[in-house]
Amino acid sequence: QVQVVESGGGLVQAGGSLRLSCAASATIFSINAMAWYRQAPGKQRELVALITNGGSRNYADSVKGRFTISRNNAKNTIYLQMNRLKPEDTAVYFCRTTMRTSGLEYWGQGTQVTVSS
């Protein structure tokens, strides 16, 4: 069982910035990919950004140019730097870890991000 723990959410005004962190209890090299998802009230969960073991990054169109996903291999942690936040970015942000060998996915509990207008 891999533990996934998110942190860094909070309340920020539109135009502001936040950085989310996601720590996994597995070594980064046993992980195939890690990703950030978000779910707003009444909406489906959507992919925000993904980073593979090889370092490839993908972003949702709605966050390109504003959000950056990165990782610290030594800490088994990924980050989501969110700049120029908009009220529509308000959601619970979840971290997903996909294991390289088994393909199993592990999710964190989520962290709330609220952007006020």
Side-chain angles (χ1 to χ4, degrees):
Q1 186 76 11
V2 174
Q3 304 299 317
V4 179
V5 180
E6 305 99 334
S7 61
L11 173 64
V12 64
Q13 288 189 330
S17 299
L18 280 175
R19 189 177 82 153
L20 305 182
S21 299
C22 171
S25 63
T27 61
I28 203 76
F29 299 106
S30 67
I31 294 170
N32 185 48
M34 295 182 74
W36 287 100
Y37 284 74
R38 67 185 180 188
Q39 187 166 19
K43 294 188 176 181
Q44 289 189 330
R45 192 172 295 190
E46 62 175 356
L47 176 66
V48 176
L50 177 146
I51 185 166
T52 69
N53 180 268
S56 298
R57 296 166 171 83
N58 289 311
Y59 297 94
D61 287 343
S62 59
V63 306
K64 282 181 181 177
R66 299 188 299 121
F67 291 10
T68 301
I69 189 169
S70 62
R71 68 183 186 191
N72 183 323
N73 290 344
K75 295 184 178 180
N76 303 332
T77 299
I78 65 166
Y79 306 95
L80 186 68
Q81 178 65 44
M82 305 185 293
N83 298 328
R84 303 199 310 274
L85 282 160
K86 304 175 181 179
E88 51 263 44
D89 294 318
T90 295
V92 179
Y93 283 70
F94 297 90
C95 180
R96 185 200 74 187
T97 298
T98 305
M99 305 308 292
R100 173 181 284 178
T101 301
S102 66
L104 290 173
E105 297 180 350
Y106 297 94
W107 291 84
Q109 299 273 13
T111 185
Q112 176 70 47
V113 172
T114 302
V115 184
S116 63
S117 57

